[in-house]
Amino acid sequence: MLHLRLITPAERTDDVVRLIERTVGTTHLVVLRGAARNPAGDVVMCDVAREAGHELLTGLRELGIEQTGSIAVESIDLSLSKRAEKAEEEAPGEGADAVLWEHLADATHEESTLSVTYLAFITLATMIAACGVLLDNAILIVGAMAVGPEFGPLAGLSTALVQRAPRLALRSLTALLVGFALAMAVTVGFSVFMDAVGLFSESKLEAPRPNTSFVYAPDWFSFVVAVLAGAAGTLSLTSAKSGALVGVAISVTTVPAAANAAVALAYGDTRQTWGSTVQLLLNLLGIVLAGTLTLLAQKWFWIRQRERAHRASELA
């Protein structure tokens, strides 16, 4: 269930209440006349089944509530109410399958913003991965994958393509390009420093690395894994199962590939630099492609499901 807290202009409150009452899957409606002070207006609260959330939010935005008032949405972890159970039963579909597009757009907007924190995380992850590839240490590689924040902009790009949001697409592309460019540039300097103090060496880079050689040897399996991870990551975002994102992060080799490309560039090894770059691009392409197709499939599935529900209600 979702909990909505609305601030509505007094002249719009009746329209909002009617919208909530006719939306299947809503309950616990509360109206507090004149309770809001900034902005001034009425406070309207209700609970809605997750699968009906997008329809209700769309109607509220059509009434212009986000422009003249406020719309706040919270997830309810526990609701002990027969009315809530009845509302979820009446709402078409399953809550786990519903996509709350407004929440997805807001989440990907935040995750795809080029911030100091984002740049710090992607740079540190790439430097950790650089140590991992030189030491042929799979544990460090996994740790770098988990630290890397690049899935946010990738999910933002997929969302932008499906929702036709050019600003989100530009923001996501900027975060990806600037983030990886800065991380790789810093890692080149880091590699030179580590070589100067005797911790990195070209012999380690060129030595057999059975645990990490995959980062500069791209193949079709790299693309397949990226596609599967992209689909899983997108599903984890849309279903609010964020725990799955950790598994997604350690399934793709974006950060390790960028790290190996940077280290190889520092030593002038064009073969590994090129191979790692191709690996990086394959992973980025696979994740974006899978994320976009997953969102399109969810959108199509949900539209068909709602159409069947409406036809069933009309026949009833």
Side-chain angles (χ1 to χ4, degrees):
M1 294 289 289
L2 302 172
H3 177 70
L4 270 65
R5 186 183 71 253
L6 315 172
I7 297 178
T8 66
E11 65 274 13
R12 281 292 190 182
T13 300
D14 290 340
D15 294 332
V16 169
V17 170
R18 280 193 293 269
L19 172 64
I20 294 173
E21 289 178 335
R22 70 168 180 261
T23 301
V24 177
T26 60
T27 187
H28 302 155
L29 176 61
V30 177
V31 180
L32 303 175
R33 300 282 182 178
R37 293 293 180 266
N38 184 19
D42 303 330
V43 175
V44 179
M45 294 180 286
C46 71
D47 294 341
V48 59
R50 181 181 173 85
E51 50 269 41
H54 177 66
E55 179 183 359
L56 179 56
L57 289 173
T58 300
L60 291 171
R61 298 185 70 177
E62 289 175 353
L63 291 174
I65 301 304
E66 83 280 11
Q67 300 292 334
T68 57
S70 169
I71 303 174
V73 184
E74 299 174 332
S75 294
I76 301 176
D77 295 328
L78 177 64
S79 179
L80 302 178
S81 167
K82 288 293 184 181
R83 289 184 178 273
E85 293 177 5
K86 185 173 183 295
E88 289 186 319
E89 291 174 359
E90 292 175 346
E94 294 293 333
D97 298 331
V99 180
L100 200 61
W101 291 100
E102 292 79 5
H103 177 269
L104 180 62
D106 182 70
T108 51
H109 178 279
E110 181 179 350
E111 293 294 329
S112 62
T113 300
L114 186 64
S115 63
V116 174
T117 301
Y118 170 83
L119 292 174
F121 269 116
I122 196 168
T123 301
L124 291 170
T126 307
M127 293 166 69
I128 293 171
C131 296
V133 296
L134 260 293
L135 295 174
D136 196 35
N137 189 315
I139 294 177
L140 289 176
I141 293 295
V142 171
M145 290 176 177
V147 172
E150 73 280 4
F151 189 80
L154 292 170
L157 185 56
S158 296
T159 303
L161 291 174
V162 173
Q163 294 293 88
R164 299 178 182 179
R167 290 185 178 179
L168 179 57
L170 179 61
R171 182 181 296 107
S172 301
L173 277 174
T174 301
L176 282 173
L177 295 177
V178 175
F180 274 113
L182 177 65
M184 293 173 71
V186 172
T187 303
V188 169
F190 174 69
S191 300
V192 172
F193 170 77
M194 294 291 279
D195 181 80
V197 299
L199 295 176
F200 279 11
S201 67
E202 188 173 2
S203 61
K204 291 181 179 179
L205 177 71
E206 302 300 337
R209 290 182 280 146
N211 292 322
T212 58
S213 60
F214 64 92
V215 298
Y216 61 86
D219 54 25
W220 280 109
F221 279 107
S222 302
F223 184 73
V224 169
V225 170
V227 168
L228 295 175
T234 302
L235 285 173
S236 73
L237 286 176
T238 57
S239 64
K241 297 185 181 294
S242 58
L245 282 176
V246 177
V248 172
I250 60 178
S251 299
V252 293
T253 55
T254 48
V255 167
N260 198 81
V263 175
L265 183 62
Y267 286 112
D269 187 334
T270 56
R271 179 182 65 86
Q272 288 199 36
T273 300
W274 173 249
S276 299
T277 302
V278 172
Q279 178 77 279
L280 172 62
L281 294 176
L282 275 176
N283 276 270
L284 295 177
L285 176 62
I287 293 172
V288 172
L289 177 63
T292 303
L293 292 177
T294 301
L295 288 175
L296 286 172
Q298 288 180 291
K299 192 173 187 177
W300 176 85
F301 173 78
W302 196 250
I303 290 174
R304 291 293 301 273
Q305 197 168 40
R306 293 204 64 82
E307 288 176 349
R308 287 197 298 268
H310 284 308
R311 284 197 297 268
S313 63
E314 288 174 358
L315 292 175

